[in-house]
Amino acid sequence: MKQKENILIIGAGLCGSLLALRLAQRGYFVNVYEMRPDLRKTDISAGRSINLAFSDRGNKAMKLVGLENKVKSLCIPMHGRMIHTKEGETFLSNYSGREHEYINSVSRGELNALLLTEAEKHENVNIYFNRKCKSVDFENTTALFKDYEDKTEFVEDADCIIATDGAGSALRKSYYLGKKFLFSFSQNYLTHGYKELSILPTETGDYKTYKNALHIWPRGDFMLIALPNLDGSFTVTLFLSYTEGKYNFNNLTTPEIVTKFFKNEFRDALKIMPNLVEDFFKNPTAALGTIKCSPWHYKGNTLLMGDAAHAIVPFYGQGMNASFEDVVEFDSVLNQNKNADWQTIFSAYEKTRKKDTDAIADLALDNFNEMRDHVGQAIFQEKRKIEMALEKEFPEDYTSKYSLVTFNENIGYKEAMLKGRAQDKAILNLLSNKLISTNDKTSTILEKVKKETEVILNENRIAGL
Amino acid sequence: MKQKENILIIGAGLCGSLLALRLAQRGYFVNVYEMRPDLRKTDISAGRSINLAFSDRGNKAMKLVGLENKVKSLCIPMHGRMIHTKEGETFLSNYSGREHEYINSVSRGELNALLLTEAEKHENVNIYFNRKCKSVDFENTTALFKDYEDKTEFVEDADCIIATDGAGSALRKSYYLGKKFLFSFSQNYLTHGYKELSILPTETGDYKTYKNALHIWPRGDFMLIALPNLDGSFTVTLFLSYTEGKYNFNNLTTPEIVTKFFKNEFRDALKIMPNLVEDFFKNPTAALGTIKCSPWHYKGNTLLMGDAAHAIVPFYGQGMNASFEDVVEFDSVLNQNKNADWQTIFSAYEKTRKKDTDAIADLALDNFNEMRDHVGQAIFQEKRKIEMALEKEFPEDYTSKYSLVTFNENIGYKEAMLKGRAQDKAILNLLSNKLISTNDKTSTILEKVKKETEVILNENRIAGL
């Protein structure tokens, strides 16, 4: 192996372990420091989503590192949303009119373990657990760590440091507190939080409800979702306001109130959740926030990646996929900048990538608002119906915003957002002006939607939007 | 005077001194702590804009406290923008088609001094200078100060604390670092900074260029502006990128380069700025940032107001006006919530006010982008021409975005933004689709613009924008 630089990665979560693997494949010497114990030896899932939506952008990264098939064996396909009404009726709404397009439920822990194991197969990778990064000296490219085992502190240096240490990133905090340069930064919390619950398997290990869907109990201001696990269970998440509405996290204080809330709102879920009260009071309530910042890098010394650079709310199922796509994009920048210094590489990476991570952050918020405000409106239901018909009859000619974001890994999030939002607006305009209806011929609708979309995109271009 | 509560105000800038005056008029006991020396006794203008645009929203606040006439004597009316081309040609572009609508240049120092003096006329107001707030204990409603005179630290308590301590607010920092509640926060810097320069009076004390205008030398990626002062001088501000472009703050490092830059770009200005080089290297380069946050208050204990809650970039000339309007809105919330506790008052104030301060922040950024990207485009010049004609011929029926924001103090910024943006888009759509032209009859244009604006607003409503 030829002489290559030393890279220090802070954080061995999904993004950090994938990045370590890919940089190892490229021949770099990689040291990874993780604050948590090795999740392959300890159960440390508490308080974090234990399964996640995995889709085409994430899969592109798995292809890049040669793990597509291994990851597939961890995946449970979810072809659509199984919507549960208040009365307990269910109906399946596919994610796409194209049958081969679906998302997957995957265990965060299993996937992370696979990536760690694959990274460690490279002798140029070392992963150290129980080492928490406390701060980064980005002028001198060193990081200060606390060793949780022997309680000592130590400093590591490297040719460059990449922080994939999540929403609470130590490097990002050092950028902010350092005041050495103009650091644009935002943390925006929703008024809603979330809590994880569970639907356990039957005694014989079977799924208590339909396996191949993302179950959703939309109730306007709050909702419950459930994603399947390989062991027959579902991980259930309750999204609810902290303080507003008849029921909220602040007033769900007793087993009686929690049970009453579920009996009123999620009756069919409650029937298969005998463990509800125990879960509810055992598991923490966590916040939902969006983090954006810039610059991501300081000279050629340090770089933020993954949630450390751009944490998003979970309503598009793209958090992990976006972080995996970071690694794909970074790899592509490395290919295009052979022999360049790290400053050039980091600059080029942020320039190409940031517009897309900003876009997925905004799209995820769009979806939160859409689910709260629009789910019950007739015009939005008509729009969804039209889009499914268009995708089904003209799979080559029409792609909904959801499909552009989720299944089109070769279109950036920003482009998907601009086109997707214009299409949505086009359909809504045409519906509200009665220029189309769900009874029209799909080919007629397609033509009108395409034309109106072009008009909207052009007007936005002129207005400089 | 009946028993009233004690209010501690942090910061005796424009917002803090106005707030102190108004609360004193309402009968509260007010203690104000300011980190700087008394500006009526010391010249401390360095590094801050020494004149500002004062318009109708700010004037509404002056009316409220009975100072309209006193402030008028400090004002120099500016009826429009005097645009200076690269070749040194000038033309005046009025701010409004209505002659009585204009903005004013006012000295920050003089206005602040007036407000301090008026506040101190009330025996229930005490203002302490040279006391810097270091942090606020918002659970216990106390603030820690450093006395710059005797170097001691001391703690003050009050029934409630209102921080008007500007973009670097100590209370906001305490909210952020305290992590006691979910605090949404953003600081976003432009890639441009600014530097203050000057055009001095003639030897006989006259103005060297036209007095009653805001002079502007727009050059796409950078610009120079100048506002008149009462003493015959102009305060000049250069807005320029830190790092991009042929000339930027990073490479303007010698008197020769600075002079060459001005000779190339601002030839007519250079002729009346013999002191350019001295100013340039004496005065600091400052950053341009937007700050948003929420919540502004913690229980009924503490509240952020003015720049401390919502600092904006200067491109709409609304920074001071927005902070003054804060006091008007707060006063109105006090009127509507007689006998309510502070928590109720602070909540009601943020609920009614935040949407508007968010909007003016976005509008100010709009203007930055407009000046950079659009100033040279024919379609934007046609739009401006049409708007001036509409305002002139139909002063009651058409109000441009600029006028809605600047001269219509009874319309909130949010409403002004939504309507103003829709109107702008309507005119651009109609122009680009050749449905109107600058040669059409103004009444025909008005009708079409109004109709198209309604269509756009309606479509936005349906799309949930």
Side-chain angles (χ1 to χ4, degrees):
Chain A
M1 186 176 295
K2 64 184 154 132
Q3 185 60 35
K4 281 277 188 172
E5 279 145 301
N6 289 299
I7 299 176
L8 192 165
I9 296 177
I10 303 170
L14 291 166
C15 184
S17 55
L18 173 65
L19 179 67
L21 170 58
R22 184 58 195 155
L23 292 178
Q25 289 174 339
R26 296 187 72 106
Y28 293 101
F29 292 100
V30 182
N31 284 311
V32 188
Y33 291 83
E34 165 61 42
M35 63 182 272
R36 294 190 178 78
D38 188 341
L39 54 68
R40 293 164 298 183
K41 298 171 188 161
T42 334
D43 177 16
I44 50 159
S45 62
R48 310 178 78 202
S49 292
I50 61 171
N51 57 24
L52 297 163
F54 176 79
S55 53
D56 294 38
R57 291 175 200 271
N59 197 45
K60 187 175 181 183
M62 296 304 106
K63 284 180 192 163
L64 176 70
V65 294
L67 289 180
E68 188 182 14
N69 287 329
K70 285 192 184 172
V71 171
K72 193 166 259 174
S73 69
L74 302 177
C75 285
I76 302 174
M78 299 184 290
H79 296 281
R81 299 189 181 99
M82 180 71 80
I83 295 166
H84 298 246
T85 67
K86 208 166 163 177
E87 292 69 37
E89 285 164 5
T90 60
F91 54 95
L92 188 67
S93 165
N94 279 347
Y95 281 115
S96 162
R98 289 168 289 269
E99 282 200 1
H100 62 281
E101 291 181 346
Y102 56 84
I103 65 174
N104 302 277
S105 175
V106 69
S107 152
R108 172 196 282 270
E110 295 283 340
L111 183 53
N112 205 339
L114 171 67
L115 292 168
L116 289 169
T117 299
E118 293 293 326
E120 280 186 332
K121 284 181 183 169
H122 295 262
E123 58 180 21
N124 46 334
V125 172
N126 288 298
I127 307 178
Y128 305 94
F129 295 94
N130 296 306
R131 266 76 161 181
K132 178 184 167 56
C133 182
K134 297 187 70 175
S135 62
V136 178
D137 178 344
F138 48 84
E139 285 288 4
N140 296 303
T141 324
T142 63
L144 173 67
F145 291 93
K146 166 113 188 191
D147 185 326
Y148 279 159
E149 285 160 3
D150 67 11
K151 315 293 176 199
T152 58
E153 293 193 350
F154 62 96
V155 170
E156 282 292 314
D157 72 352
D159 295 312
C160 73
I161 297 175
I162 304 181
T164 52
D165 50 347
S169 173
L171 175 58
R172 204 185 63 238
K173 195 172 154 196
S174 293
Y175 282 173
Y176 178 79
L177 295 176
K179 295 183 189 286
K180 295 277 184 73
F181 56 94
L182 296 179
F183 185 54
S184 292
F185 165 66
S186 69
Q187 59 182 32
N188 283 297
Y189 295 100
L190 298 184
T191 51
H192 285 53
Y194 73 96
K195 190 187 277 287
E196 282 174 6
L197 307 165
S198 59
I199 296 171
L200 299 178
T202 63
E203 276 177 27
T204 54
D206 289 332
Y207 293 89
K208 283 189 185 161
T209 183
Y210 181 65
K211 174 184 175 186
N212 291 112
L214 188 154
H215 293 264
I216 177 166
W217 291 256
R219 298 291 180 269
D221 257 356
F222 52 91
M223 71 171 172
L224 197 69
I225 66 167
L227 277 75
N229 297 311
L230 287 171
D231 68 359
S233 69
F234 290 82
T235 301
V236 180
T237 310
L238 172 65
F239 296 96
L240 180 68
S241 170
Y242 283 103
T243 55
E244 306 269 309
K246 184 176 174 193
Y247 294 102
N248 58 56
F249 277 124
N250 279 3
N251 69 23
L252 289 176
T253 51
T254 67
E256 292 69 35
I257 302 174
V258 170
T259 306
K260 193 174 166 200
F261 173 47
F262 271 69
K263 204 171 265 175
N264 287 348
E265 299 291 345
F266 313 118
R267 179 175 287 267
D268 61 331
L270 179 62
K271 281 186 190 153
I272 51 177
M273 294 173 74
N275 47 316
L276 166 67
V277 166
E278 193 189 331
D279 282 350
F280 194 96
F281 291 101
K282 188 182 70 194
N283 293 343
T285 306
L288 295 163
T290 301
I291 287 170
K292 292 179 181 174
C293 64
S294 180
W296 287 346
H297 65 102
Y298 183 74
K299 298 180 178 168
N301 300 355
T302 53
L303 174 69
L304 296 164
M305 206 182 273
D307 279 4
H310 50 73
I312 63 178
V313 296
F315 303 103
Y316 229 110
Q318 284 293 315
M320 171 178 63
N321 295 290
S323 289
F324 281 177
E325 197 176 62
D326 279 4
V327 177
V328 175
E329 288 294 310
F330 189 68
D331 188 72
S332 152
V333 169
L334 287 172
N335 289 340
Q336 289 156 32
N337 294 274
K338 298 245 167 77
N339 305 317
D341 60 18
W342 287 117
Q343 175 150 18
T344 306
I345 290 162
F346 291 172
S347 287
Y349 168 68
E350 181 169 351
K351 199 171 158 59
T352 184
R353 186 63 180 150
K354 182 161 168 58
K355 64 179 187 318
D356 288 322
T357 59
D358 281 354
I360 190 60
D362 295 346
L363 284 162
L365 289 168
D366 278 4
N367 254 22
F368 174 67
N369 294 323
E370 234 173 273
M371 284 187 289
R372 283 202 314 169
D373 302 337
H374 302 162
V375 83
Q377 289 181 36
I379 192 168
F380 282 87
Q381 287 160 4
E382 284 171 23
K383 176 173 96 58
R384 188 83 197 131
K385 201 170 160 190
I386 282 172
E387 284 195 285
M388 296 310 284
L390 290 173
E391 289 201 320
K392 198 154 197 156
E393 277 194 54
F394 302 99
E396 304 296 317
D397 296 304
Y398 188 81
T399 312
S400 72
K401 183 171 84 171
Y402 186 88
S403 292
L404 287 166
V405 171
T406 309
F407 306 119
N408 285 269
E409 68 275 20
N410 297 318
I411 295 173
Y413 285 125
K414 171 92 183 272
E415 194 187 332
M417 178 178 76
L418 293 178
K419 183 159 188 196
R421 283 181 174 174
Q423 282 178 173
D424 283 358
K425 206 168 179 219
I427 298 176
L428 291 169
N429 287 355
L430 293 167
L431 279 169
S432 79
N433 294 326
K434 311 222 179 295
L435 297 171
I436 57 171
S437 96
T438 50
N439 301 322
D440 291 352
K441 254 180 71 180
T442 316
S443 59
T444 314
I445 294 177
L446 178 66
E447 200 182 314
K448 289 182 180 172
V449 169
K450 283 196 146 187
K451 206 173 151 198
E452 178 77 4
T453 301
E454 270 317 302
V455 168
I456 289 170
L457 285 170
N458 191 45
E459 288 175 356
N460 287 345
R461 264 190 298 270
I462 289 164
L465 301 176
Chain B
M1 185 176 295
K2 64 185 157 138
Q3 184 62 35
K4 281 278 189 173
E5 279 144 304
N6 289 300
I7 300 176
L8 193 164
I9 296 177
I10 304 170
L14 291 167
C15 184
S17 53
L18 173 65
L19 179 67
L21 170 57
R22 185 59 194 154
L23 292 178
Q25 290 174 339
R26 296 187 71 107
Y28 293 100
F29 292 100
V30 181
N31 284 311
V32 188
Y33 292 83
E34 164 60 43
M35 63 182 270
R36 294 188 178 80
D38 189 340
L39 53 69
R40 292 164 298 182
K41 299 172 188 162
T42 333
D43 177 18
I44 50 160
S45 63
R48 309 176 79 201
S49 292
I50 62 169
N51 56 23
L52 296 163
F54 175 79
S55 52
D56 295 38
R57 290 175 200 272
N59 197 43
K60 186 176 182 182
M62 296 305 104
K63 284 181 194 164
L64 176 69
V65 294
L67 290 180
E68 190 182 13
N69 287 329
K70 286 192 183 173
V71 171
K72 193 167 259 177
S73 68
L74 303 175
C75 284
I76 301 174
M78 300 185 290
H79 297 280
R81 299 189 182 99
M82 180 71 81
I83 295 166
H84 298 246
T85 68
K86 209 167 161 175
E87 293 70 36
E89 286 164 2
T90 59
F91 53 96
L92 188 68
S93 166
N94 278 349
Y95 280 116
S96 163
R98 289 169 287 267
E99 283 198 2
H100 62 280
E101 292 182 344
Y102 56 84
I103 66 174
N104 302 277
S105 176
V106 70
S107 153
R108 173 197 282 272
E110 295 286 338
L111 183 53
N112 206 340
L114 171 66
L115 292 169
L116 289 170
T117 299
E118 294 293 327
E120 280 185 334
K121 285 181 183 168
H122 293 261
E123 59 179 20
N124 45 333
V125 171
N126 288 298
I127 307 178
Y128 305 93
F129 295 94
N130 296 305
R131 265 76 160 180
K132 181 186 164 56
C133 181
K134 298 187 68 174
S135 62
V136 179
D137 179 345
F138 48 83
E139 285 288 4
N140 296 305
T141 324
T142 64
L144 172 67
F145 291 93
K146 165 116 187 187
D147 184 327
Y148 279 159
E149 286 160 2
D150 67 11
K151 314 293 177 200
T152 57
E153 293 193 350
F154 62 97
V155 171
E156 282 292 317
D157 70 353
D159 294 314
C160 73
I161 298 175
I162 304 181
T164 52
D165 50 348
S169 172
L171 174 59
R172 204 185 62 237
K173 196 172 153 196
S174 292
Y175 282 173
Y176 178 79
L177 295 176
K179 293 183 191 287
K180 295 274 184 73
F181 55 94
L182 295 179
F183 184 55
S184 292
F185 165 68
S186 68
Q187 59 182 32
N188 282 298
Y189 295 100
L190 297 184
T191 53
H192 285 53
Y194 74 97
K195 189 187 280 287
E196 281 174 5
L197 307 164
S198 59
I199 297 171
L200 299 178
T202 63
E203 278 177 25
T204 54
D206 288 332
Y207 293 89
K208 283 189 183 160
T209 183
Y210 182 64
K211 174 186 175 184
N212 291 111
L214 188 154
H215 293 264
I216 176 164
W217 292 255
R219 298 294 180 267
D221 257 356
F222 51 91
M223 69 170 175
L224 197 68
I225 66 168
L227 277 75
N229 296 311
L230 288 171
D231 67 358
S233 69
F234 290 82
T235 301
V236 180
T237 310
L238 171 65
F239 296 96
L240 180 68
S241 171
Y242 283 102
T243 57
E244 307 270 308
K246 186 177 174 194
Y247 295 103
N248 58 57
F249 277 122
N250 279 2
N251 70 23
L252 289 177
T253 52
T254 68
E256 293 70 34
I257 302 174
V258 170
T259 307
K260 193 174 167 197
F261 173 48
F262 271 68
K263 204 171 267 174
N264 287 346
E265 300 289 345
F266 313 117
R267 179 175 287 266
D268 61 332
L270 179 62
K271 281 184 189 153
I272 50 177
M273 294 172 75
N275 49 317
L276 167 67
V277 165
E278 193 190 329
D279 281 352
F280 194 94
F281 291 101
K282 187 184 71 194
N283 293 343
T285 307
L288 295 162
T290 302
I291 288 170
K292 293 179 182 173
C293 65
S294 180
W296 287 345
H297 66 102
Y298 182 74
K299 298 179 179 168
N301 301 355
T302 55
L303 173 70
L304 296 165
M305 206 183 274
D307 279 6
H310 51 74
I312 65 177
V313 296
F315 303 103
Y316 231 109
Q318 284 293 316
M320 172 180 60
N321 295 290
S323 289
F324 281 176
E325 197 177 60
D326 280 3
V327 177
V328 175
E329 287 293 311
F330 189 67
D331 187 70
S332 151
V333 168
L334 287 173
N335 289 341
Q336 288 156 32
N337 293 273
K338 297 247 168 76
N339 305 317
D341 59 18
W342 288 114
Q343 175 150 19
T344 306
I345 290 161
F346 291 173
S347 287
Y349 168 68
E350 180 168 354
K351 199 171 159 59
T352 183
R353 186 65 180 147
K354 183 163 167 56
K355 64 179 188 319
D356 288 321
T357 59
D358 282 352
I360 190 59
D362 295 347
L363 284 162
L365 289 168
D366 278 6
N367 253 23
F368 174 68
N369 294 322
E370 232 173 276
M371 284 187 289
R372 284 200 316 166
D373 303 338
H374 302 161
V375 83
Q377 289 181 37
I379 191 168
F380 282 87
Q381 287 160 4
E382 285 171 24
K383 175 173 98 55
R384 189 83 197 131
K385 203 169 157 188
I386 283 172
E387 285 195 284
M388 295 310 285
L390 290 174
E391 289 200 320
K392 199 154 195 154
E393 280 196 51
F394 302 98
E396 304 296 316
D397 295 307
Y398 187 81
T399 312
S400 72
K401 184 172 82 173
Y402 186 86
S403 292
L404 286 167
V405 170
T406 307
F407 306 118
N408 285 267
E409 69 275 19
N410 296 318
I411 294 173
Y413 285 126
K414 172 91 183 276
E415 193 188 333
M417 177 178 79
L418 294 178
K419 181 156 189 202
R421 282 181 174 174
Q423 281 178 174
D424 283 358
K425 208 169 177 218
I427 299 176
L428 291 169
N429 287 354
L430 292 168
L431 279 169
S432 79
N433 294 325
K434 311 219 179 298
L435 298 171
I436 58 172
S437 97
T438 49
N439 302 322
D440 290 355
K441 253 181 69 180
T442 316
S443 59
T444 315
I445 294 176
L446 178 66
E447 198 182 316
K448 287 181 181 173
V449 169
K450 283 196 146 186
K451 205 174 151 198
E452 178 76 3
T453 301
E454 270 316 303
V455 168
I456 290 169
L457 284 170
N458 191 44
E459 287 175 357
N460 287 346
R461 265 191 294 271
I462 288 163
L465 300 175

